[in-house]
Amino acid sequence: MLENKSESRTSLSDIGEFKLIEHLTKDIILHHKSTIKGVGDDCAVLGNSDKLTLVTTDLLVEGVHFDLSYMPLKHLGYKAVMVNLSDVYAMNGSAKQITVSIAVSNRFPLEALEELYAGIHLACKTYKVDLVGGDTTSSTKGMLISITAIGEVEKKNVVYRNGAKPNDLLVVTGDLGAAYLGLQVLEREKQVFEVNPNAQPELENYNYLVERQLKPEARKDIVELLQNLEVKPTSMIDISDGLSSEILHICKQSKVGCSVYEDKIPLDQQVISTCEEFNIDSTTVALSGGEDYELLFTIAQEDFLKIKANPNLSVIGHITEENEGAQLITRGNQKIEIIAQGWNTMS
Ligand code: ADP
Ligand code: MG
């Protein structure tokens, strides 16, 4: 497998996803002026003119990113598109096309792929995106879906992860933690079902959580809203891995610190009650849960009045100098350093 047999072996799980990407891409030399941004943001940014092209790709693997025992294929198709569109919106852009590549084992009949594509087509229709190509191949085990999304943004509107400045406000859309809890609820029902196949799933109290896990919506509306409010964020990222790791991406790339106030983190009532029931801390779930596909962005303080009244947007803190680090200010007014969360699967 390795060309140099004497080389020592480093376990990937010891490095983690972000360090691995950094390691593999650190020596890339860009050959083209038109590659404005390569590795390191939610999308690559390409172009020579006032209109830039955005490109992003994500790979979903059965057993790692989805479990077909509770993920209907139609939802999976829809979600696979959302995951990609979310990255385009995180650049303040609009998504135009996708390509879809799949690898499937012979366990899947035609009808299964029709369902998957019903979800993909629905996402394309809802979000006005054209499906323009892809690739189809077989796999020895399970299903893999790789979607690439292509979008565009006016040069003057593009927002990177690296533009946050001290005193900017840190803003998050929607609410956090529900998708992760939805997954926990579905996992629990799966275990009940494995013991007793006649058991009826009990999901009524968790409908919002399950919907957030199975049918996330990318925040196209926020890009439009910010345009209408005439607010251009100074930095932006989508929340796919959990609030804490996205905050750290912005801080690292912008070379700043931040203060995030625990009591400002937006949580749905169902998240709060389910956390109580499961005896887990709702802040931990919001910080580390992931798959929310909300947007996290920073704005200059003078834009505060423009966003203040909007129920979709919560100011959760502000940007500080780099040497102050990334801090969570707890309800008890303690300062805790924000660390990247430790879910072991690579996302
Ligand atoms: P996101 O969660 O926003 O999709 P990722 O954390 O997956 O972003 O990726 C971070 C950056 O690293 C992106 O610019 C992505 O294109 C790049 N990247 C990820 N994996 C690879 C890889 N295997 N080779 C080259 N670039 C990669
Ligand atoms: Mg992203």
Side-chain angles (χ1 to χ4, degrees):
M1 184 166 83
L2 293 173
E3 216 161 87
N4 182 348
K5 303 283 184 212
S6 64
E7 237 173 80
S8 62
R9 285 161 184 249
T10 310
S11 156
L12 293 183
S13 54
D14 288 346
I15 318 177
E17 180 195 353
F18 302 131
K19 286 260 158 55
L20 173 64
I21 296 173
E22 225 173 272
H23 185 74
L24 295 177
T25 59
K26 64 182 188 308
D27 297 324
I28 290 177
I29 296 165
L30 299 175
H31 300 286
H32 299 284
K33 255 192 158 157
S34 58
T35 309
I36 296 173
K37 181 93 192 178
V39 170
D41 217 301
D42 293 298
C43 289
V45 181
L46 317 174
N48 299 307
S49 66
D50 286 343
K51 206 157 241 175
L52 303 176
T53 300
L54 303 169
V55 181
T56 178
T57 194
D58 266 289
L59 173 62
L60 301 181
V61 178
E62 185 178 0
V64 178
H65 300 101
F66 58 91
D67 181 332
L68 290 174
S69 51
Y70 47 72
M71 182 71 160
L73 281 159
K74 184 171 176 184
H75 286 75
L76 175 62
Y78 193 89
K79 183 169 175 175
V81 179
M82 287 309 118
V83 170
N84 280 276
L85 300 192
S86 180
D87 279 320
V88 174
Y89 303 137
M91 306 299 292
N92 208 26
S94 61
K96 301 290 178 188
Q97 292 92 9
I98 56 166
T99 64
V100 177
S101 299
I102 50 172
V104 275
S105 70
N106 54 15
R107 169 178 132 231
F108 295 95
L110 168 67
E111 289 71 18
L113 297 184
E114 283 175 349
E115 272 181 39
L116 178 77
Y117 268 72
I120 293 173
H121 290 313
L122 178 62
C124 287
K125 186 173 161 207
T126 311
Y127 283 77
K128 304 243 164 2
V129 172
D130 298 332
L131 170 54
V132 295
D135 196 16
T136 305
T137 186
S138 56
S139 91
T140 48
K141 200 166 163 265
M143 178 186 281
L144 294 90
I145 307 168
S146 171
I147 296 190
T148 296
I150 299 153
E152 62 182 40
V153 62
E154 301 256 352
K155 200 176 198 171
K156 64 179 186 345
N157 291 335
V158 65
V159 177
Y160 297 103
R161 295 175 177 179
N162 66 9
K165 297 277 177 305
N167 299 321
D168 283 356
L169 300 175
L170 195 57
V171 185
V172 71
T173 65
D175 54 73
L176 300 177
Y180 170 78
L181 283 179
L183 182 62
Q184 303 312 305
V185 168
L186 290 165
E187 290 277 357
R188 186 175 70 170
E189 290 305 312
K190 182 184 171 186
Q191 279 164 19
V192 170
F193 184 78
E194 275 167 3
V195 177
N196 175 12
N198 295 320
Q200 288 298 311
E202 282 176 35
L203 298 173
E204 309 90 75
N205 294 335
Y206 312 108
N207 53 357
Y208 179 64
L209 311 181
V210 170
E211 186 177 318
R212 292 280 285 173
Q213 169 59 221
L214 296 183
K215 195 167 181 283
E217 301 289 350
R219 299 305 307 253
K220 180 185 187 186
D221 60 321
I222 298 295
V223 175
E224 291 162 358
L225 173 73
L226 291 173
Q227 225 138 49
N228 291 338
L229 295 174
E230 294 179 8
V231 173
K232 184 188 172 195
T234 52
S235 70
M236 183 146 63
I237 188 169
D238 71 321
I239 304 181
S240 50
D241 297 329
L243 180 63
S244 62
S245 83
E246 316 304 358
I247 286 174
L248 292 176
H249 282 311
I250 285 193
C251 286
K252 186 171 179 206
Q253 299 222 9
S254 300
K255 300 192 172 61
V256 293
C258 69
S259 292
V260 177
Y261 294 84
E262 182 181 20
D263 62 341
K264 305 284 187 211
I265 297 174
L267 303 172
D268 185 82
Q269 192 49 47
Q270 232 172 58
V271 167
I272 295 168
S273 59
T274 308
C275 280
E276 277 169 15
E277 185 196 333
F278 286 23
N279 205 10
I280 42 181
D281 177 42
S282 55
T283 304
T284 309
V285 166
L287 285 172
S288 308
E291 294 200 287
D292 294 309
Y293 299 108
E294 296 293 341
L295 295 171
L296 171 73
F297 58 90
T298 53
I299 58 167
Q301 282 209 13
E302 53 264 32
D303 284 335
F304 174 62
L305 287 179
K306 299 187 200 163
I307 65 138
K308 179 177 145 203
N310 198 292
N312 284 298
L313 307 175
S314 308
V315 177
I316 58 167
H318 60 269
I319 299 297
T320 59
E321 297 291 342
E322 188 173 23
N323 61 15
E324 295 182 51
Q327 307 285 348
L328 178 75
I329 319 295
T330 68
R331 288 194 185 87
N333 216 15
Q334 272 185 311
K335 270 190 176 184
I336 300 177
E337 197 191 335
I338 297 174
I339 47 165
Q341 91 293 3
W343 309 127
N344 272 335
T345 52
M346 289 196 212
S347 52

